[in-house]
Amino acid sequence: MKIKSNDLLETIRDENFAPETFKVTSTKLKKDPKGALKSVFGYLQTALKETAVVEADVAIRKDVVLKFQTNIINLPFNYPNKIEQLTEVDTDYDVNLYAIFEAEEINASHLRIDLMGSVDNFLAGDADVYQNIADWVILQFEKLETKKEK
């Protein structure tokens, strides 16, 4: 799947996408990330058949949120000006799936974003993408627990 930078930016700036919100406990995420995120994955699979700009928000605790966003660059939707500066407006880019972990204790910026895989691979059911997500989620919780212990 590809999208022009200017099409992505227009969609983000006009807020012409509807984030879907899910509630999942940290206990379930730590125990079985793939199972806990099954409904999120289903939503993403369905939504990505209709549009390239998708967001799923997973409320874990009041102070911890996990998001999945599609994008052409490793930045959250909150930074359209940065995305514009770092991309060419009329260029087609591959659409990728990014995971974003927002928690005060995760790091100095309170945000961690990483590439999970291409949208094409995610839609094809590539086991590596799903495993990347599961491993990444567990790692973020390990980081949180390490910070709390200090």
Side-chain angles (χ1 to χ4, degrees):
M1 178 181 288
K2 292 190 177 282
I3 191 170
K4 289 191 182 312
S5 178
N6 55 336
D7 292 339
L8 172 80
L9 290 165
E10 182 179 316
T11 302
I12 293 170
R13 287 183 172 136
D14 293 347
E15 296 181 14
N16 197 11
F17 63 97
E20 189 73 25
T21 302
F22 299 84
K23 178 86 174 117
V24 180
T25 65
S26 58
T27 305
K28 287 181 182 176
L29 280 168
K30 290 177 201 176
K31 184 177 178 185
D32 178 18
K34 286 186 208 173
L37 294 170
K38 192 172 184 168
S39 60
V40 176
F41 293 155
Y43 163 74
L44 292 169
Q45 286 274 347
T46 302
L48 286 166
K49 290 176 183 163
E50 297 176 24
T51 182
V53 183
V54 175
E55 178 180 310
D57 298 340
V58 181
I60 300 165
R61 294 192 306 249
K62 189 174 101 174
D63 58 339
V64 180
V65 176
L66 170 64
K67 292 182 181 182
F68 294 96
Q69 292 181 346
T70 56
N71 210 327
I72 58 177
I73 192 168
N74 192 14
L75 284 170
F77 290 164
N78 306 13
Y79 302 99
N81 293 341
K82 252 318 184 205
I83 295 169
E84 185 174 33
Q85 289 173 357
L86 297 169
T87 61
E88 300 292 325
V89 290
D90 286 327
T91 300
D92 279 326
Y93 290 91
D94 288 325
V95 181
N96 292 308
L97 180 64
Y98 292 91
I100 303 165
F101 199 86
E102 296 177 354
E104 192 170 316
E105 303 88 16
I106 199 69
N107 60 28
S109 67
H110 312 294
L111 179 141
R112 177 73 201 184
I113 180 171
D114 288 296
L115 172 66
M116 296 295 108
S118 73
V119 164
D120 290 336
N121 288 346
F122 177 78
L123 287 172
D126 185 332
D128 288 344
V129 177
Y130 290 86
Q131 192 59 52
N132 285 347
I133 293 169
D135 293 345
W136 185 86
V137 167
I138 289 169
L139 179 63
Q140 302 319 305
F141 280 109
E142 287 172 357
K143 287 180 184 176
L144 274 183
E145 288 168 8
T146 301
K147 297 250 182 188
K148 284 183 180 177
E149 290 170 5
K150 290 183 178 179

